Amino acid sequence: MLTLGPKGLLVGVLNVTPDSFSDGGDNLDPEAAVRSATAMVDEGAAILDIGAESTRPGAAPIDGTQERARLMPVLEAVRAALPDVPVSVDTYRAETARAALEAGAQIVNDVWGLQRDPQIANLAAETGAGLIVMHTGRERDVLADPIEDQRAFLSRSIEIALAAGVRDGQIVLDPGFGFAKDPAHNAALMARFAELHALGYPLLVGTSRKRFLGHFTGREAHGRDVATAATTALLRAAGAALFRVHDVAMNADALAMADAMVAAGQRDGA
């Protein structure tokens, strides 16, 4: 059981895809995926997040059969090699989520916030799996105020989860940096991040190597790890609990310093 709050936790990204924006093709082979997963755990990842369909803008869609054909061999190999490390599966399909949970995953990470396939909520209620509920601006009208839009979308997602019988302690919210958000929107979301605590659930952030970091730094995807680490430190100071990242080692250092600052502030304020 992982405890959220006293220190930030890193979630290592393991994409089992040929076309993800920064690591496509790196982990399609189960042995390669196990090597990557082991390295991330050694560097400080508390959770591994495995996804088999790219969610980058313009990515070619695949069906559930293709998704599971990519996912399951890697998931099974990682669970066998690292049985004590919690695994999240990045999917918006209940059928894929069920297969992954039956193979040993413990968390479902839904980038559509239960609003593409609400059966994921029923599955989480049935199994007790952790549930990461992400905000997206894709395929819908978005409110002008970024925090109001977060509240509107995520409140609906929470309603779906609770109506299905999911317990509060299973839910983590993700504001969905980069998902149909322009650079100004992402920057505003960072600046006002603390307002999201009013939703009442732990918060995960996934800024790693995203396009908006390139907008501000001028760097391509593989050159954005320093900017990612900066957002990790800033958003930890604003109260984020989990950080989904590609470069675990660099973000572990950033998080260590942010945790030290947060702890010092709590002591001084006691």
Side-chain angles (χ1 to χ4, degrees), residues 170-197:
Q170 293 173 248
I171 299 171
V172 169
L173 303 180
D174 177 352
F177 284 97
F179 278 74
K181 300 172 179 70
D182 64 23
H185 191 135
N186 285 296
L189 192 53
M190 285 188 62
R192 298 176 61 189
F193 187 85
E195 295 178 48
L196 298 177
H197 295 300

Tab-separated table of all heavy atoms in Angstrom, residues 170-197:
chain	number	residue	atom	x	y	z
A	170	GLN	N	-10.047	5.280	-3.545
A	170	GLN	CA	-9.519	4.681	-4.774
A	170	GLN	C	-9.168	5.725	-5.830
A	170	GLN	O	-8.503	5.409	-6.813
A	170	GLN	CB	-10.558	3.728	-5.386
A	170	GLN	CG	-10.845	2.484	-4.575
A	170	GLN	CD	-11.999	1.685	-5.159
A	170	GLN	OE1	-13.061	1.591	-4.565
A	170	GLN	NE2	-11.800	1.121	-6.343
A	171	ILE	N	-9.614	6.971	-5.649
A	171	ILE	CA	-9.601	7.957	-6.732
A	171	ILE	C	-8.427	8.924	-6.615
A	171	ILE	O	-8.159	9.484	-5.554
A	171	ILE	CB	-10.918	8.757	-6.731
A	171	ILE	CG1	-12.109	7.820	-6.958
A	171	ILE	CG2	-10.886	9.858	-7.788
A	171	ILE	CD1	-13.461	8.485	-6.763
A	172	VAL	N	-7.743	9.123	-7.740
A	172	VAL	CA	-6.750	10.178	-7.913
A	172	VAL	C	-7.151	10.966	-9.157
A	172	VAL	O	-7.588	10.381	-10.156
A	172	VAL	CB	-5.333	9.588	-8.098
A	172	VAL	CG1	-4.337	10.653	-8.550
A	172	VAL	CG2	-4.850	8.941	-6.799
A	173	LEU	N	-7.019	12.284	-9.100
A	173	LEU	CA	-7.371	13.134	-10.231
A	173	LEU	C	-6.118	13.632	-10.947
A	173	LEU	O	-5.100	13.901	-10.313
A	173	LEU	CB	-8.198	14.337	-9.771
A	173	LEU	CG	-9.485	14.028	-9.011
A	173	LEU	CD1	-10.187	15.330	-8.637
A	173	LEU	CD2	-10.414	13.125	-9.824
A	174	ASP	N	-6.224	13.769	-12.261
A	174	ASP	CA	-5.130	14.256	-13.107
A	174	ASP	C	-5.685	15.392	-13.962
A	174	ASP	O	-6.630	15.168	-14.735
A	174	ASP	CB	-4.631	13.099	-13.977
A	174	ASP	CG	-3.541	13.495	-14.968
A	174	ASP	OD1	-3.254	14.698	-15.100
A	174	ASP	OD2	-2.998	12.585	-15.626
A	175	PRO	N	-5.145	16.612	-13.864
A	175	PRO	CA	-5.685	17.723	-14.645
A	175	PRO	C	-5.387	17.660	-16.131
A	175	PRO	O	-5.847	18.506	-16.893
A	175	PRO	CB	-5.033	18.959	-14.007
A	175	PRO	CG	-3.787	18.447	-13.380
A	175	PRO	CD	-4.103	17.053	-12.911
A	176	GLY	N	-4.625	16.670	-16.582
A	176	GLY	CA	-4.464	16.439	-18.012
A	176	GLY	C	-3.680	17.509	-18.749
A	176	GLY	O	-4.101	17.986	-19.806
A	177	PHE	N	-2.513	17.862	-18.215
A	177	PHE	CA	-1.668	18.827	-18.921
A	177	PHE	C	-1.450	18.366	-20.365
A	177	PHE	O	-1.133	17.207	-20.621
A	177	PHE	CB	-0.316	18.973	-18.223
A	177	PHE	CG	-0.372	19.789	-16.972
A	177	PHE	CD1	-0.472	19.179	-15.729
A	177	PHE	CD2	-0.332	21.174	-17.028
A	177	PHE	CE1	-0.524	19.936	-14.568
A	177	PHE	CE2	-0.388	21.941	-15.879
A	177	PHE	CZ	-0.485	21.320	-14.638
A	178	GLY	N	-1.638	19.298	-21.300
A	178	GLY	CA	-1.358	19.013	-22.701
A	178	GLY	C	-2.494	18.423	-23.489
A	178	GLY	O	-2.425	18.362	-24.722
A	179	PHE	N	-3.559	17.995	-22.846
A	179	PHE	CA	-4.662	17.364	-23.558
A	179	PHE	C	-5.674	18.424	-23.989
A	179	PHE	O	-6.534	18.822	-23.219
A	179	PHE	CB	-5.319	16.287	-22.694
A	179	PHE	CG	-4.585	14.973	-22.714
A	179	PHE	CD1	-3.386	14.820	-22.022
A	179	PHE	CD2	-5.067	13.889	-23.435
A	179	PHE	CE1	-2.696	13.617	-22.042
A	179	PHE	CE2	-4.384	12.688	-23.467
A	179	PHE	CZ	-3.194	12.549	-22.773
A	180	ALA	N	-5.517	18.867	-25.238
A	180	ALA	CA	-6.349	19.937	-25.810
A	180	ALA	C	-6.232	21.216	-24.990
A	180	ALA	O	-7.223	21.886	-24.711
A	180	ALA	CB	-7.803	19.501	-25.935
A	181	LYS	N	-4.989	21.536	-24.621
A	181	LYS	CA	-4.694	22.758	-23.873
A	181	LYS	C	-3.508	23.444	-24.544
A	181	LYS	O	-2.474	22.805	-24.761
A	181	LYS	CB	-4.367	22.432	-22.416
A	181	LYS	CG	-5.491	21.725	-21.659
A	181	LYS	CD	-5.019	21.273	-20.290
A	181	LYS	CE	-6.131	20.596	-19.502
A	181	LYS	NZ	-6.521	19.276	-20.044
A	182	ASP	N	-3.637	24.728	-24.832
A	182	ASP	CA	-2.521	25.444	-25.445
A	182	ASP	C	-1.516	25.858	-24.369
A	182	ASP	O	-1.772	25.679	-23.168
A	182	ASP	CB	-3.015	26.633	-26.273
A	182	ASP	CG	-3.697	27.711	-25.451
A	182	ASP	OD1	-3.455	27.812	-24.221
A	182	ASP	OD2	-4.487	28.481	-26.032
A	183	PRO	N	-0.338	26.373	-24.769
A	183	PRO	CA	0.679	26.706	-23.763
A	183	PRO	C	0.195	27.660	-22.681
A	183	PRO	O	0.506	27.469	-21.495
A	183	PRO	CB	1.802	27.322	-24.604
A	183	PRO	CG	1.686	26.633	-25.926
A	183	PRO	CD	0.212	26.488	-26.148
A	184	ALA	N	-0.575	28.676	-23.056
A	184	ALA	CA	-1.070	29.620	-22.054
A	184	ALA	C	-1.999	28.937	-21.066
A	184	ALA	O	-1.958	29.215	-19.854
A	184	ALA	CB	-1.789	30.779	-22.744
A	185	HIS	N	-2.834	28.038	-21.568
A	185	HIS	CA	-3.756	27.286	-20.704
A	185	HIS	C	-2.965	26.416	-19.728
A	185	HIS	O	-3.274	26.368	-18.522
A	185	HIS	CB	-4.667	26.427	-21.590
A	185	HIS	CG	-5.817	25.795	-20.875
A	185	HIS	ND1	-7.088	25.797	-21.373
A	185	HIS	CD2	-5.882	25.133	-19.693
A	185	HIS	CE1	-7.893	25.156	-20.538
A	185	HIS	NE2	-7.178	24.733	-19.516
A	186	ASN	N	-1.940	25.728	-20.228
A	186	ASN	CA	-1.119	24.891	-19.346
A	186	ASN	C	-0.401	25.721	-18.291
A	186	ASN	O	-0.317	25.317	-17.117
A	186	ASN	CB	-0.103	24.110	-20.174
A	186	ASN	CG	-0.728	22.949	-20.919
A	186	ASN	OD1	-1.231	22.015	-20.322
A	186	ASN	ND2	-0.698	23.006	-22.237
A	187	ALA	N	0.122	26.879	-18.678
A	187	ALA	CA	0.808	27.740	-17.716
A	187	ALA	C	-0.168	28.253	-16.655
A	187	ALA	O	0.166	28.305	-15.460
A	187	ALA	CB	1.471	28.908	-18.440
A	188	ALA	N	-1.375	28.632	-17.077
A	188	ALA	CA	-2.381	29.094	-16.121
A	188	ALA	C	-2.777	27.970	-15.166
A	188	ALA	O	-2.988	28.196	-13.968
A	188	ALA	CB	-3.601	29.616	-16.866
A	189	LEU	N	-2.863	26.761	-15.696
A	189	LEU	CA	-3.217	25.614	-14.856
A	189	LEU	C	-2.137	25.356	-13.810
A	189	LEU	O	-2.441	25.035	-12.652
A	189	LEU	CB	-3.418	24.392	-15.744
A	189	LEU	CG	-4.056	23.152	-15.137
A	189	LEU	CD1	-5.377	23.468	-14.466
A	189	LEU	CD2	-4.241	22.098	-16.226
A	190	MET	N	-0.878	25.527	-14.195
A	190	MET	CA	0.205	25.401	-13.217
A	190	MET	C	0.115	26.504	-12.160
A	190	MET	O	0.238	26.244	-10.960
A	190	MET	CB	1.563	25.459	-13.913
A	190	MET	CG	1.930	24.210	-14.665
A	190	MET	SD	3.637	24.263	-15.254
A	190	MET	CE	4.533	24.369	-13.717
A	191	ALA	N	-0.112	27.733	-12.605
A	191	ALA	CA	-0.133	28.867	-11.686
A	191	ALA	C	-1.269	28.757	-10.671
A	191	ALA	O	-1.133	29.197	-9.527
A	191	ALA	CB	-0.264	30.168	-12.474
A	192	ARG	N	-2.360	28.143	-11.086
A	192	ARG	CA	-3.552	28.058	-10.217
A	192	ARG	C	-3.789	26.631	-9.709
A	192	ARG	O	-4.869	26.303	-9.228
A	192	ARG	CB	-4.768	28.555	-10.994
A	192	ARG	CG	-4.661	30.018	-11.419
A	192	ARG	CD	-5.841	30.447	-12.268
A	192	ARG	NE	-7.103	30.314	-11.532
A	192	ARG	CZ	-8.305	30.469	-12.109
A	192	ARG	NH1	-8.383	30.736	-13.409
A	192	ARG	NH2	-9.402	30.326	-11.393
A	193	PHE	N	-2.754	25.824	-9.772
A	193	PHE	CA	-2.895	24.400	-9.462
A	193	PHE	C	-3.497	24.164	-8.078
A	193	PHE	O	-4.317	23.252	-7.893
A	193	PHE	CB	-1.524	23.726	-9.563
A	193	PHE	CG	-1.577	22.227	-9.435
A	193	PHE	CD1	-1.844	21.434	-10.532
A	193	PHE	CD2	-1.341	21.611	-8.213
A	193	PHE	CE1	-1.897	20.059	-10.419
A	193	PHE	CE2	-1.384	20.237	-8.087
A	193	PHE	CZ	-1.666	19.455	-9.202
A	194	ALA	N	-3.109	24.952	-7.102
A	194	ALA	CA	-3.580	24.729	-5.728
A	194	ALA	C	-5.100	24.798	-5.620
A	194	ALA	O	-5.691	24.199	-4.699
A	194	ALA	CB	-2.935	25.733	-4.781
A	195	GLU	N	-5.748	25.482	-6.548
A	195	GLU	CA	-7.209	25.581	-6.499
A	195	GLU	C	-7.879	24.227	-6.739
A	195	GLU	O	-9.033	24.025	-6.350
A	195	GLU	CB	-7.708	26.591	-7.535
A	195	GLU	CG	-7.268	28.021	-7.266
A	195	GLU	CD	-7.738	28.987	-8.334
A	195	GLU	OE1	-8.940	28.944	-8.691
A	195	GLU	OE2	-6.896	29.778	-8.823
A	196	LEU	N	-7.165	23.300	-7.369
A	196	LEU	CA	-7.740	21.986	-7.653
A	196	LEU	C	-7.935	21.145	-6.398
A	196	LEU	O	-8.681	20.163	-6.418
A	196	LEU	CB	-6.860	21.234	-8.651
A	196	LEU	CG	-6.714	21.880	-10.029
A	196	LEU	CD1	-5.754	21.064	-10.882
A	196	LEU	CD2	-8.058	21.991	-10.721
A	197	HIS	N	-7.280	21.516	-5.306
A	197	HIS	CA	-7.463	20.756	-4.065
A	197	HIS	C	-8.889	20.831	-3.552
A	197	HIS	O	-9.316	19.966	-2.776
A	197	HIS	CB	-6.481	21.243	-2.995
A	197	HIS	CG	-5.048	20.980	-3.330
A	197	HIS	ND1	-4.555	19.711	-3.540
A	197	HIS	CD2	-3.995	21.813	-3.522
A	197	HIS	CE1	-3.269	19.777	-3.842
A	197	HIS	NE2	-2.907	21.046	-3.840
